[in-house]
């Protein structure tokens, strides 16, 4: 452990919180919001390569696939087809910004309830779609729900979880995302065998996790921090006692929450504007860098389009979906392992380990694709295709162990309470914006650039790993109300903290 981290931990309180049944059930209910995110992300990749779906909405893609001579990297290059997938994220970007303001009025619990209802509406519209317009409207309704829940659920988990296990509890949201993806890929594996209407079953089953979210939101209370911010201080101690246990001493944590909320009330207006001031410089840089780097790992498009990628390199429809099922299962195993170790070995090590692992795998994928193109063959030979499949699985394991869960954990815990909702909304909206752009252009880039696409991702992986080594502080085990001490001990960011303190003291003297 670094000297800086030891110093940081010596300056923060120890609330001695324990893991209680109440906090586990409360956090599980909030984390279940990830089910819909995962299902709606995972289902589209399998559906868009089903012949029953393509014949209904995209017959030109199906006819191109059946031609004897065609570029295997270009057969799915259709902007409306990719819009069906990517529209989820542009709607999520817009609604996550709106959710930041609405959270102040209805709380984190209320936002999750609204998001669940939108998920339910979107799944019904998609299952009943008779036109491309209905498909995209349904996906956008799902995206609006996604924006609300992605903004609220990780912050809910971060504010409710005990500090010593905050990483594990917050990463549960990502674990549920991966479970949702696995559920979607398994569903696609079976519905692909149903002629004509199998795709409707896949899209309609998104209603199941939607009902889970709506029902679960009624059984959880809002977080203590959110209750204070919304003007219900008399309910905070009871809520805190409930999730920490009837015999827990919550006085110290209660006082810190109220103190942080009082500070937030003094800076109640202009949270987004405040993020761009010198006082919040470190939060802004990390809050922007993590979603930007996450978007350019290349794993968003690999996760969404893995069935199409497997079809591209020569697998049949069923084998392509089966490969995606195994890929999702590997992601789940890696995510659960990450939840177990991140509060022991820290966030920073996992970021670096995962970044290096993805970098090696994507270099190898691009080399295999380049070698295949150099031989001017059509569909990849079996040994080449199998190698790509295994490398994607290895890449997914590295991703699931690191950036997949940590992209939610770190942004949800670094911000002070007065800008927490705005900061989380900014991070989520950046993620969705980049995901939308990537998903919309990836198939076209694959068609024109081939293996060079993955080399671009490798360059980004190198840059983000260097950034993590140099500028990301370790936050494991630090209470969320005392996170400022972490920045004060960091070799680079402490200069900004010291400058802000000096400016404040000068103003007080005047």
């Amino acid at each position: 452990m670094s000297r800086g981290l030891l110093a940081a931990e010596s300056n923060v309180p120890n609330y001695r919180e324990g893991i209680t049944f109440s906090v586990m059930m409360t956090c599980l209910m909030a984390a279940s919001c990830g089910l819909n995110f995962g299902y709606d992300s995972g289902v589209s990749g399998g559906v868009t390569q089903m012949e029953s779906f393509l014949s209904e909405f995209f017959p030109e893609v199906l006819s191109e696939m059946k031609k004897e001579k065609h570029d295997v990297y270009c057969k799915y290059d259709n902007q409306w087809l990719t819009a069906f997938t990517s529209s989820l994220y542009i709607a999520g970007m817009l609604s996550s910004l709106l959710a930041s303001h609405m959270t102040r009025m209805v709380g984190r619990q209320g936002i999750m309830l609204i998001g669940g209802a939108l998920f339910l509406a979107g799944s019904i519209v998609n299952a009943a779609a008779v036109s491309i317009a209905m498909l995209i409207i349904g996906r956008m309704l799902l995206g609006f729900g996604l924006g609300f829940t992605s903004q609220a659920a990780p912050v809910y988990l971060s504010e409710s979880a005990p500090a010593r296990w905050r990483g594990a509890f917050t990463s549960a949201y990502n674990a549920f995302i991966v479970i949702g993806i696995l559920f979607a890929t398994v569903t696609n594996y079976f519905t692909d065998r149903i002629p004509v209407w199998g795709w409707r079953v896949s899209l309609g089953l998104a209603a199941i996790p939607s009902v889970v979210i709506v029902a679960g939101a009624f059984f959880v209370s809002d977080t203590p921090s959110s209750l204070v911010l919304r003007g219900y201080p008399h309910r905070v101690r009871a809520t805190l006692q409930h999730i920490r246990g009837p015999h827990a001493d919550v006085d110290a944590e209660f006082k810190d929450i109220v103190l942080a909320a009082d500070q937030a009330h003094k800076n109640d207006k202009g949270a987004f504007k405040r993020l761009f001031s010198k006082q919040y410089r470190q939060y802004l840089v990390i809050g922007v860098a993590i979603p930007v780097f996450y978007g350019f790992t290349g794993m968003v498009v690999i996760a969404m389009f893995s069935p199409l990628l497997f079809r591209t390199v020569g697998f049949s429809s069923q084998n392509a979906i089966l490969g995606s099922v195994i890929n999702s299962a590997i992601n789940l195993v890696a995510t659960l392992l990450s939840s177990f170790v991140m509060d022991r070995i820290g966030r920073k090590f996992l970021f670096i380990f995962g970044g290096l692992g993805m970098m090696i795998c994507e270099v190898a994928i691009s080399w295999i694709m380049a070698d295949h193109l150099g031989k001017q063959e059509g569909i990849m030979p079996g040994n080449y295709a199998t190698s790509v499949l295994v490398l994607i699985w290895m890449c997914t394991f590295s991703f699931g162990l690191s950036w997949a869960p940590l992209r939610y954990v770190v942004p949800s815990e670094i911000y002070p309470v007065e800008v927490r909702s705005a900061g989380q909304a900014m991070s989520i909206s950046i993620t969705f914006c980049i995901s939308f752009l990537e998903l919309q252009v990836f198939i076209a880039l694959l068609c024109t650039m081939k293996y060079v696409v993955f080399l671009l991702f490798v360059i980004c992986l190198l840059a983000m790993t260097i950034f993590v080594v140099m500028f990301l502080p370790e936050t494991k085990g630090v209470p969320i109300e005392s996170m400022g001490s972490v920045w004060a001990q960091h070799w680079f960011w402490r200069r900004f903290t010291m400058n802000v303190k000096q400016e404040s003291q000068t103003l007080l003297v005047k």
Side-chain angles (χ1 to χ4, degrees):
M1 186 181 293
S2 67
R3 291 176 60 189
L5 181 57
L6 284 168
E9 289 182 343
S10 66
N11 292 328
V12 299
N14 182 2
Y15 298 141
R16 301 185 184 279
E17 319 108 311
I19 297 179
T20 64
F21 177 78
S22 296
V23 78
M24 286 184 65
M25 294 308 298
T26 297
C27 289
L28 280 175
M29 285 294 186
S32 67
C33 290
L35 282 173
N36 256 106
F37 190 173
Y39 188 89
D40 295 320
S41 299
V43 77
S44 60
V47 165
T48 50
Q49 62 85 48
M50 291 182 184
E51 292 193 5
S52 58
F53 178 78
L54 293 173
S55 63
E56 180 83 18
F57 299 104
F58 304 97
E60 66 277 11
V61 175
L62 193 60
S63 62
E64 182 68 24
M65 289 171 58
K66 293 181 177 180
K67 289 181 179 178
E68 291 186 7
K69 292 185 178 181
H70 64 269
D71 189 333
V72 295
Y73 295 100
C74 299
K75 58 186 177 182
Y76 293 104
D77 185 15
N78 182 289
Q79 287 301 297
W80 282 110
L81 182 61
T82 51
F84 165 70
T85 300
S86 63
S87 55
L88 178 81
Y89 290 93
I90 193 66
M93 181 194 72
L94 297 173
S95 61
S96 64
L97 295 174
L98 178 62
S100 172
H101 299 287
M102 290 184 63
T103 300
R104 289 293 182 118
M105 297 183 288
V106 302
R108 325 248 188 249
Q109 176 199 23
I111 289 294
M112 290 188 290
L113 182 60
I114 294 170
L118 287 166
F119 279 136
L120 184 58
S123 62
I124 293 172
V125 172
N126 267 345
V130 293
S131 66
I132 295 176
M134 278 189 72
L135 284 175
I136 293 179
I137 289 171
R139 290 288 286 181
M140 292 190 75
L141 285 171
L142 293 170
F144 290 137
L146 178 60
F148 282 118
T149 55
S150 297
Q151 196 275 343
V155 174
Y156 186 103
L157 291 163
S158 187
E159 291 179 344
S160 300
R164 284 179 292 173
W165 295 282
R166 188 176 57 248
F169 276 88
T170 309
S171 64
Y173 179 71
N174 186 73
F176 273 91
I177 291 176
V178 179
I179 291 171
I181 294 173
L182 181 59
F183 177 35
T185 51
V186 171
T187 300
N188 284 336
Y189 182 74
F190 290 103
T191 58
D192 187 43
R193 304 177 183 185
I194 303 173
V196 183
W197 51 270
W199 62 271
R200 293 189 187 274
V201 178
S202 288
L203 296 180
L205 285 179
I208 294 177
S210 303
V211 172
V212 171
I213 294 171
V214 172
F218 282 110
F219 291 96
V220 297
S221 61
D222 212 347
T223 68
S225 294
S226 181
L227 288 171
V228 175
L229 288 173
R230 294 195 297 123
Y232 301 105
H234 56 284
R235 293 169 50 188
V236 174
R237 185 180 289 274
T239 300
L240 199 57
Q241 197 75 63
H242 176 70
I243 61 176
R244 298 291 180 246
H247 304 296
D249 184 0
V250 299
D251 286 345
E253 187 174 4
F254 172 76
K255 289 176 182 177
D256 283 345
I257 290 172
V258 173
L259 184 64
D262 286 341
Q263 183 65 31
H265 279 304
K266 294 176 182 177
N267 303 283
D268 195 40
K269 296 181 180 179
F272 279 102
K273 183 179 179 181
R274 193 174 299 111
L275 273 174
F276 291 88
S277 66
K278 182 184 291 187
Q279 182 180 356
Y280 298 90
R281 182 73 50 81
Q282 61 270 38
Y283 307 111
L284 176 67
V285 172
I286 300 297
V288 169
I290 287 178
V292 168
F293 285 136
Y294 165 79
F296 290 105
T297 59
M299 293 308 300
V300 175
V301 291
I302 288 176
M304 294 289 282
F305 289 134
S306 57
L308 298 186
L309 283 172
F310 297 152
R311 287 295 298 272
T312 296
V313 298
F315 290 97
S316 67
S317 178
Q318 281 284 286
N319 287 337
I321 296 177
L322 180 60
S324 297
V325 171
I326 297 172
N327 194 54
S328 301
I330 290 171
N331 195 359
L332 179 58
V333 170
T335 297
L336 294 177
L337 178 61
S338 178
S339 299
F340 181 74
V341 302
M342 73 167 58
D343 287 314
R344 292 169 171 79
I345 65 177
R347 284 72 157 136
K348 194 165 183 174
F349 175 83
L350 289 179
F351 268 128
I352 297 168
F353 178 84
L356 292 174
M358 286 185 284
M359 200 183 313
I360 293 169
C361 292
E362 292 187 20
V363 166
I365 290 171
S366 63
W367 181 84
I368 291 172
M369 293 176 68
D371 189 54
H372 168 247
L373 286 170
K375 294 180 178 179
Q376 296 183 343
E377 298 174 345
I379 295 175
M380 280 188 180
N383 59 333
Y384 277 61
T386 302
S387 298
V388 171
L389 180 69
V390 172
L391 284 167
I392 287 178
W393 287 345
M394 292 171 62
C395 198
T396 296
F397 181 83
S398 299
F399 177 68
L401 194 65
S402 57
W403 280 82
L406 290 171
R407 59 167 166 160
Y408 294 110
V409 173
V410 174
S412 68
E413 67 186 3
I414 62 170
Y415 295 108
V417 67
E418 67 267 20
V419 294
R420 192 170 296 152
S421 290
Q424 179 71 359
M426 180 190 68
S427 296
I428 292 295
S429 63
I430 291 172
T431 299
F432 288 159
C433 182
I434 293 175
S435 297
F436 165 74
L437 294 173
E438 271 194 307
L439 292 170
Q440 191 61 36
V441 304
F442 175 71
I443 298 298
L445 289 176
L446 185 65
C447 176
T448 56
M449 299 177 67
K450 310 302 192 281
Y451 65 91
V452 178
V453 173
F454 290 96
L455 291 179
L456 293 177
F457 291 141
V458 169
I459 294 171
C460 294
L461 284 165
L462 177 61
M464 69 194 231
T465 303
I466 294 172
F467 177 88
V468 166
V469 171
M470 298 294 294
F471 299 110
L472 184 71
E474 181 58 69
T475 55
K476 78 177 180 75
V478 181
I480 196 168
E481 291 79 21
S482 306
M483 199 61 69
S485 60
V486 172
W487 304 98
Q489 297 296 329
H490 190 269
W491 72 272
F492 181 79
W493 299 117
R494 64 186 177 189
R495 70 185 66 181
F496 294 97
T497 306
M498 292 172 62
N499 289 339
V500 170
K501 286 182 179 179
Q502 290 172 358
E503 289 175 8
S504 299
Q505 290 172 356
T506 302
L507 289 172
L508 286 173
V509 171
K510 291 181 178 180

